[in-house]
Amino acid sequence: MGQKVNPIGFRTGIMVGWKSRWYASKQEFADLLVEDQRVREFIKKRKDPSGKPMYPMIAKIEIERTRDEVKVILFSARPGVLIGRKGERVEELQNELQNLIGRRVNIKIEEITRPELVAQLVAEDIAEQLSKRASFRRTMKRAIEQTMEAGAKGVKIQLAGRLGGAEMSRREKQIAGSMPLSTLRAKIDYGFAEAWIPQGHIGVQVWINLGTYSEEDTDGADAQTGQASKKPKRAYKR
């Protein structure tokens, strides 16, 4: 059985920064970690009365903490839906999060200009199409074509579950371009979503190769400077 590693977790702290950026003592750390998870689940799983996601097309949520407030950064392909008319939806979300965690919350929204190159958004789009009973092979093929046309170096999509309403669950995957998962310098984005169909759940995994990280993009500068010198020691004669 293969040992699978999340590409984002594999690169966190070396090539990619953390999604939660704060410091806490041992006594507070666990509570704040659970609080971060509650905030993310609240935003991602919030539904309107019709059952549609209230805050759609959110790729990732980053959280920064100071002594006074919690800063929540939302990366969305549809910032206009999040902001609402005259910013009323942002204020509503801000008040709900403050009631949820009991701290002052500051929300910042970052726009994603190329959603076809964000693995999480591609996975959620595929899951949405599968929930509408679209053909899984056609959906995978179209997603791969759109991502490659947007400028990706490679893409891999894997579905698992009762595909096409079959009696037994199975895996199907399609690959285009190159996908060097073990190369740390490779800029691999990963996303996961679940499609709800009458037969059960279908898991959707997406890997997108965006090229390589440049020297400015790395978050491992501290690790590099902390390494021991490789120069040979000078020998002193007595």
Side-chain angles (χ1 to χ4, degrees):
M1 185 175 172
Q3 304 300 312
K4 306 298 185 295
V5 177
N6 186 313
I8 296 173
F10 187 46
R11 290 163 178 81
T12 298
I14 303 168
M15 312 303 290
V16 184
W18 278 262
K19 289 183 180 177
S20 291
R21 295 184 289 274
W22 42 266
Y23 177 81
S25 62
K26 284 185 177 180
Q27 291 81 10
E28 297 177 318
F29 187 87
D31 293 335
L32 295 180
L33 199 64
V34 171
E35 198 174 278
D36 281 7
Q37 185 64 17
R38 285 171 62 202
V39 167
R40 290 191 171 97
E41 285 187 356
F42 179 83
I43 295 171
K44 292 290 284 185
K45 295 183 178 180
R46 185 79 193 279
K47 301 276 176 67
D48 60 12
S50 62
K52 293 181 179 179
M54 209 160 180
Y55 310 109
M57 302 285 283
I58 293 179
K60 62 178 177 177
I61 301 167
E62 294 186 354
I63 297 174
E64 296 177 359
R65 293 177 183 272
T66 62
R67 185 175 295 177
D68 302 325
E69 68 175 17
V70 179
K71 185 178 181 182
V72 180
I73 307 166
L74 307 177
F75 292 81
S76 174
R78 295 171 65 184
V81 177
L82 279 175
I83 295 168
R85 190 176 297 171
K86 296 181 181 177
E88 57 189 23
R89 295 197 74 177
V90 171
E91 291 179 6
E92 180 188 344
L93 175 60
Q94 189 171 328
N95 293 332
E96 287 172 344
L97 289 178
Q98 285 177 167
N99 294 333
L100 179 71
I101 63 176
R103 302 174 194 270
R104 192 151 61 89
V105 175
N106 180 17
I107 295 177
K108 184 182 177 185
I109 297 172
E110 297 277 351
E111 185 178 3
I112 294 171
T113 53
R114 304 294 296 275
E116 312 88 37
L117 295 175
V118 180
Q120 184 62 36
L121 297 182
V122 173
E124 288 178 7
D125 181 54
I126 293 171
E128 187 179 341
Q129 296 297 322
L130 294 176
S131 299
K132 294 176 181 176
R133 303 191 180 188
S135 167
F136 70 90
R137 284 197 182 91
R138 193 182 306 130
T139 304
M140 290 168 75
K141 187 178 178 183
R142 195 186 69 192
I144 286 175
E145 287 173 356
Q146 288 177 345
T147 304
M148 293 300 286
E149 285 172 8
K153 304 288 184 191
V155 57
K156 179 168 87 167
I157 298 175
Q158 181 170 277
L159 306 183
R162 292 179 62 182
L163 302 173
E167 286 294 318
M168 288 186 67
S169 64
R170 68 181 194 277
R171 290 173 184 265
E172 289 264 346
K173 70 177 176 182
Q174 292 187 17
I175 305 174
S178 64
M179 190 57 59
L181 293 177
S182 299
T183 308
L184 276 171
R185 191 159 287 284
K187 198 172 187 179
I188 307 291
D189 194 17
Y190 172 77
F192 172 78
E194 286 185 54
W196 298 63
I197 61 170
Q199 291 80 16
H201 287 190
I202 292 180
V204 182
Q205 290 176 289
V206 177
W207 294 260
I208 298 177
N209 179 11
L210 301 170
T212 58
Y213 288 98
S214 63
E215 289 293 333
E216 293 79 23
D217 293 341
T218 63
D219 279 335
D222 294 339
Q224 290 173 3
T225 54
Q227 288 179 354
S229 173
K230 294 182 180 178
K231 292 180 181 179
K233 292 183 179 180
R234 187 184 297 175
Y236 291 97
K237 293 182 180 179
R238 290 185 179 178

